[in-house]
């Protein structure tokens, strides 16, 4: 943790830290920190792939994921009610089948009421104002229903059928929502809903492709991060060498 002047905060006592890489960090309203990655212990204490730290950096023993996910979570999002949504490459959570997407209770246990099943990796998660959940990834189906790359879920994890992305696209890695409800997506895709869109596209508020967003030939390789400015200009980063 860094202080507001960007010096190291020595009061954030991470001890021996994690024994391997951390890939996602999410903050709770109480300043506790949820982390996920390739690690198998924190401060020398066994906790695999996911853990929660107290505000002072110590391991939070009240967060008990059991066996946790069987592979790392790429993304963590905290809902307004404190429940935690994780997405990634995992196939089980605490020994129970739960592929690629899961919601956890505040104590780290699996929320059994949330049983959504994408058929491949989830790379990004956004919770929007009405509590519904947008996910992006490599999936082509949700709960056996065709839905490629981007999907909208109801609060219980069921698929929202009003989310009309057409045929969509495999390989959406990131999504950023504009203030007008439109969304920018980035990733490794080269088409979206049957139209050429190389690695970046904008969706209308009804989730159809915004053909007025003229990306031309797009990016020549994958986009991994998208950020929106207040004037709706879009900053992108990734492996590309030309746009």
């Amino acid at each position: 943790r860094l202080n507001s002047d960007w010096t190291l905060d020595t009061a954030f006592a991470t001890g021996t830290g994690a024994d391997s890489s951390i890939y996602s960090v999410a903050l709770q309203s109480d300043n506790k920190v949820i982390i996920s990655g390739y690690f198998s212990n924190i401060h020398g204490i066994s906790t695999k792939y996911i853990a929660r730290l107290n505000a002072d950096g110590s391991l939070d023993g009240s967060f008990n994921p059991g066996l946790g996910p069987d592979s790392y979570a790429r993304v963590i999002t905290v809902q307004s009610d404190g429940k935690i949504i994780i997405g990634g490459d995992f196939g089980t959570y605490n020994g129970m089948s739960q592929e690629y997407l899961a919601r956890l209770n505040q104590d780290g246990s699996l929320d059994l009421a949330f049983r959504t099943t994408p058929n491949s990796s989830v790379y990004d998660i956004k919770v929007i104002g009405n509590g519904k959940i947008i996910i992006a990834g490599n999936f082509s189906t949700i709960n056996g229903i065709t839905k490629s790359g981007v999907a909208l879920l109801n609060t219980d994890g069921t698929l929202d059928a009003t989310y009309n992305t057409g045929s969509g696209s495999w390989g959406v890695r990131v999504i950023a929502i504009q203030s007008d409800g439109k969304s920018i997506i980035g990733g490794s895709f080269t088409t979206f809903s049957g139209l050429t869109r190389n690695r970046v596209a904008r969706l209308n508020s009804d989730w159809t492709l915004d053909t007025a967003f003229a990306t031309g030939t797009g990016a020549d390789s994958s986009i991994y991060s998208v950020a929106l400015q207040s004037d709706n200009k879009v900053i992108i980063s990734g492996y590309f060498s030309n746009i």
Side-chain angles (χ1 to χ4, degrees), residues 4-15:
S4 56
D5 64 357
W6 305 103
T7 57
L8 184 66
D9 183 357
T10 56
F12 191 67
T14 56

Side-chain angles (χ1 to χ4, degrees), residues 108-234:
S109 61
L110 187 64
D111 181 357
L112 298 177
F114 189 87
R115 299 295 291 174
T116 298
T117 307
N119 68 337
S120 192
S121 302
V122 171
Y123 289 108
D124 200 7
I125 300 169
K126 294 288 188 297
V127 179
I128 56 179
N130 58 9
K132 292 187 177 184
I133 302 153
I134 302 172
I135 60 172
N138 277 351
F139 52 84
S140 58
T141 68
I142 302 288
N143 298 338
I145 301 169
T146 298
K147 189 62 68 173
S148 290
V150 188
L152 179 67
L153 308 179
N154 295 308
T155 56
D156 61 358
T158 56
L159 187 64
D160 185 337
T162 65
Y163 187 88
N164 181 24
T165 55
S167 57
S169 181
W170 177 92
V172 181
R173 289 185 171 268
V174 62
I175 185 165
I177 303 169
Q178 295 184 171
S179 57
D180 60 2
K182 292 186 177 184
S183 300
I184 305 293
I185 58 172
S188 55
F189 55 88
T190 56
T191 65
F192 195 88
S193 292
L195 297 177
T196 298
R197 284 295 183 277
N198 285 316
R199 288 113 189 166
V200 61
R202 187 166 66 192
L203 307 182
N204 294 308
S205 56
D206 64 355
W207 308 107
T208 56
L209 184 66
D210 183 356
T211 55
F213 190 68
T215 56
T217 55
D220 65 341
S221 194
S222 297
I223 291 171
Y224 285 93
S225 189
V226 172
L228 296 175
Q229 296 185 169
S230 57
D231 59 1
N232 282 332
K233 289 186 177 181
V234 183

Side-chain angles (χ1 to χ4, degrees), residues 58-80:
S58 60
L59 188 66
D60 182 0
S62 69
F63 185 81
N64 181 18
L67 297 173
D70 64 345
S71 186
Y72 76 101
R74 295 174 180 269
V75 58
I76 304 170
T77 299
V78 181
Q79 295 185 166
S80 59

